[in-house]
Amino acid sequence: MASAELRDELNCSICLSLYTDPVSLRCGHNFCRSCIVSVLDAQEAAGGYSCPDCRAEYPERPALEKNRKLRNIVERFSSTQPDMEETRIFCTYCTKSPVSAVSTCLLCEASFCEKHLSRHSKSPEHTLVDPTDTLEKRKCSTHKEVLKYYCPIDAACICVSCCLAGDHKGHDVELLDVASEKKTKEMKCVFETMKYKRKEVEERVQNLKDHRTEQGQKSAGLGDRVALLFTDLRKKLDDLEKRIQGEISRQKDQVSRSVSDLVEQVELQVDKLTKDMNRLAGLCNITDPLTFLQDVNAGDISDGSCEVIGDVGDAPCVDEGLVSQILHEGLGNFADNLIDMKIKRPFSLMEKSDILLDIDTAHNKIIISRDLRSASFSGTSQNRPDWPKRFKSQQVLSSRSFSSGRHYWEVDVSQAKKWIIGVARESLERKVNGIESYIGYNEKSWGLMFCQRFQCCHNGKFTQMASASPVRVVGIYLDYEAGRLSFYQVCDPIRHLHTFTASFSEPLYAALYLYEGSVIRIME
């Protein structure tokens, strides 16, 4: 066991064999000289160099330092292993003293040193390969002939008889060296794809880390602003300040934990891509076509098409809107001090936007109240004209649109057993009565819904959510320039439900979907 563990420590991570002429990079990792030279040659075209093990980057081609101590350890270890000498291939004709072979003839089934090779037949049927004692692998198991061709259809190395009369008769076949060259080119393309993808993934890791720092700074700044605000308020507001600071701290920790998890996932993908690249680099270094093709077909080799995961868009952000809403609710209890507070505040409170419903967009069975704030579904048609803006699905939009700024409104859904609320682009399809036009079921709308399940949706993708208490009033906060749409449960306590991030390019409208027997109201 100890010997096996020691051998593992003495294996090059590229060729997975004992070190040959070991050299070290500045980062401290060791490789066979020929292995690391091949990797650095492959990296040279991209204009950058990195360690295959730790990915340490070098602006210039790194110098290779001989590791004499490691070389001595490998030699001593090899000398203690009785099977190491047995694996060497010796010349068949050097009978007095063993001499290492330089080539093996598949036809003669003999190995030759330099001296005896010079006397060997030069005729084409005498196929020379690298020294080997496993000649059975070089011959067809059926016809006992030398493997000279490759069948792409069956991904197999075959002999002449296989082509003419065997299972591969009629198949388009290639010479081994031609097939090997093609496979090598394919491997190099996959290697380049993986290298590009690894760079992309590493950039995403850095973006996530920058995002974490930015959000940490934002949360710190938000905390300072809250502290400054409360220096001008009476001591009885201390509890409110502590509540807000606690929310900021919770959000900071939540963002940090979430981003850390994403960073860990993306770094795992970087490690996987690196390992696959090392595997491909090792395969591409095999000079013998047959060994190369057999190793390629024997292993599960990635094609470099793995999906890249994790980006800043997947990470949560510090929610200033929720902090502002908690602050607004608390300060509502101190009406006598609001005027003075608004004059001095270094904080933007969420003021309710004036939202009214557009009766010209309402489905013909939706009844709109006189104040244009409440909508209910009726089984009776209201016989309204079929304007171009009117929905065929059971929906209605606001008369006011938003194409800039920050806006907040609250929606009472307490009288609806099922409901969908949210925002929609102006170009949302109006003349289709199907789910493709429903709020959240397409790329032109974002919705929060309760229909057997509590969930949010956009472009037909749903995210399940949980609520400790029934959601009766929902606050909706839109920051158009920042591309953020947030939903809140407006009750005690106020709770953030979900935030969508997007690049808004069209005017947005408040949107409601009415189920039969439901009433939804936009609060004043």
Side-chain angles (χ1 to χ4, degrees), residues 199-432:
K199 182 178 179 182
E200 180 183 352
V201 174
E202 288 173 340
E203 288 176 352
R204 292 194 176 192
V205 170
Q206 188 58 49
N207 290 341
L208 287 166
K209 290 179 178 179
D210 292 343
H211 178 75
R212 179 173 59 189
T213 301
E214 179 184 344
Q215 292 304 309
Q217 293 172 348
K218 182 177 179 180
S219 65
L222 192 59
D224 293 341
R225 290 163 59 191
V226 170
L228 179 62
L229 170 65
F230 279 91
T231 56
D232 295 332
L233 296 176
R234 293 177 296 177
K235 292 182 179 180
K236 65 181 180 180
L237 294 177
D238 287 345
D239 291 340
L240 179 59
E241 181 182 11
K242 292 178 181 178
R243 177 184 172 190
I244 294 175
Q245 293 286 14
E247 175 62 20
I248 293 171
S249 178
R250 184 194 66 78
Q251 290 190 36
K252 177 183 176 182
D253 293 340
Q254 182 181 20
V255 168
S256 181
R257 285 194 304 270
S258 299
V259 174
S260 295
D261 290 343
L262 283 172
V263 168
E264 183 178 356
Q265 294 176 26
V266 178
E267 286 180 334
L268 286 174
Q269 190 175 29
V270 173
D271 291 338
K272 184 180 184 304
L273 287 170
T274 299
K275 291 179 180 178
D276 289 344
M277 288 170 63
N278 290 339
R279 167 68 172 152
L280 289 174
L283 288 173
C284 291
N285 288 332
I286 297 176
T287 58
D288 177 48
L290 180 59
T291 301
F292 169 78
L293 292 172
Q294 289 174 336
D295 286 356
V296 169
N297 294 328
D300 183 14
I301 300 175
S302 172
D303 60 0
S305 61
C306 60
E307 181 182 358
V308 177
I309 63 172
D311 203 351
V312 172
D314 301 326
C317 297
V318 173
D319 191 350
E320 182 177 343
L322 178 57
V323 175
S324 296
Q325 178 60 21
I326 297 174
L327 176 64
H328 189 54
E329 179 192 50
L331 292 176
N333 298 323
F334 305 95
D336 294 339
N337 299 306
L338 285 179
I339 295 177
D340 183 59
M341 184 202 68
K342 289 181 179 180
I343 293 174
K344 296 181 179 180
R345 73 175 186 261
F347 218 98
S348 58
L349 300 180
M350 286 198 294
E351 304 286 353
K352 285 186 182 178
S353 300
D354 189 20
I355 304 291
L356 301 177
L357 298 175
D358 184 358
I359 196 170
D360 289 338
T361 67
H363 178 270
N364 242 322
K365 292 185 178 181
I366 291 179
I367 300 174
I368 305 298
S369 63
R370 290 187 178 181
D371 63 1
L372 303 179
R373 293 186 179 277
S374 182
S376 58
F377 186 81
S378 169
T380 305
S381 173
Q382 303 302 301
N383 297 318
R384 302 187 187 103
D386 187 17
W387 299 120
K389 297 194 300 181
R390 193 174 309 286
F391 280 102
K392 283 193 174 182
S393 55
Q394 298 163 199
Q395 300 183 145
V396 59
L397 300 182
S398 64
S399 56
R400 178 183 178 183
S401 66
F402 309 106
S403 56
S404 63
R406 298 176 179 179
H407 308 275
Y408 175 77
W409 63 98
E410 294 178 353
V411 183
D412 184 351
V413 293
S414 61
Q415 298 182 63
K417 293 183 178 179
K418 298 189 294 183
W419 46 268
I420 307 176
I421 61 175
V423 302
R425 294 181 182 175
E426 190 172 30
S427 60
L428 179 63
E429 179 60 53
R430 313 294 177 94
K431 300 305 179 183
V432 174

Side-chain angles (χ1 to χ4, degrees), residues 475-520:
I476 303 177
Y477 180 72
L478 170 65
D479 188 337
Y480 192 95
E481 281 78 14
R484 299 183 66 79
L485 175 68
S486 299
F487 294 89
Y488 305 94
Q489 177 176 316
V490 182
C491 60
D492 192 13
I494 296 173
R495 189 169 71 92
H496 172 259
L497 298 174
H498 186 76
T499 294
F500 290 105
T501 57
S503 296
F504 301 127
S505 57
E506 293 183 38
L508 299 177
Y509 294 80
L512 311 177
Y513 183 95
L514 280 294
Y515 286 91
E516 186 174 354
S518 63
V519 178
I520 300 177

Side-chain angles (χ1 to χ4, degrees), residues 87-157:
T87 61
R88 292 178 59 189
I89 309 301
F90 298 102
C91 177
T92 305
Y93 300 99
C94 292
T95 57
K96 292 184 178 180
S97 62
V99 178
S100 296
V102 294
S103 294
T104 298
C105 177
L106 300 183
L107 181 63
C108 301
E109 297 188 359
S111 298
F112 302 88
C113 64
E114 290 282 3
K115 177 181 177 181
H116 289 100
L117 181 63
S118 63
R119 306 172 188 172
H120 180 256
S121 173
K122 302 299 190 295
S123 58
E125 63 269 18
H126 288 268
T127 303
L128 295 175
V129 297
D130 290 338
T132 179
D133 60 355
T134 56
L135 294 175
E136 63 277 4
K137 293 183 179 180
R138 297 279 178 173
K139 293 189 176 183
C140 175
S141 59
T142 302
H143 304 103
K144 306 305 179 183
E145 297 179 12
V146 176
L147 300 172
K148 291 185 176 181
Y149 299 96
Y150 180 74
C151 177
I153 296 175
D154 298 322
C157 298

